[in-house]
Amino acid sequence: MDYRNNYYSTNNKYLAYTLSFLGFKFMKFTDENDKLVYSFKRTPEFQKICDEVHKMKKENYFND
């Protein structure tokens, strides 16, 4: 089983806390470079919300 497909990981603290605020729990790890990684269980609901958050960020970024 390939766990990379079952989990979404990010180094972005603000994205992790945004997704956490929206109801998704994360786990914290350190990677091989000793950087903090936030990991979420990848579900269809999570993926939909994550895509929407990225879309909102992109739209907001280009509208400044």
Side-chain angles (χ1 to χ4, degrees):
M1 175 181 257
D2 187 7
Y3 291 105
R4 288 174 285 182
N5 290 330
N6 294 328
Y7 291 90
Y8 174 84
S9 298
T10 182
N11 294 80
N12 188 318
K13 174 175 83 171
Y14 301 108
L15 176 60
Y17 279 95
T18 297
L19 293 168
S20 176
F21 177 76
L22 294 172
F24 300 98
K25 295 182 181 181
F26 62 81
M27 296 172 283
K28 290 195 277 189
F29 301 97
T30 52
D31 65 8
E32 60 275 356
N33 299 318
D34 290 329
K35 291 195 176 201
L36 194 58
V37 176
Y38 303 89
S39 181
F40 295 85
K41 179 90 169 132
R42 190 184 300 262
T43 63
E45 180 186 29
F46 171 82
Q47 195 61 54
K48 179 181 174 187
I49 297 298
C50 190
D51 291 344
E52 287 297 318
V53 168
H54 282 293
K55 180 180 171 186
M56 287 175 16
K57 182 183 183 296
K58 184 177 179 182
E59 289 174 358
N60 203 15
Y61 178 78
F62 291 115
N63 286 332
D64 285 340

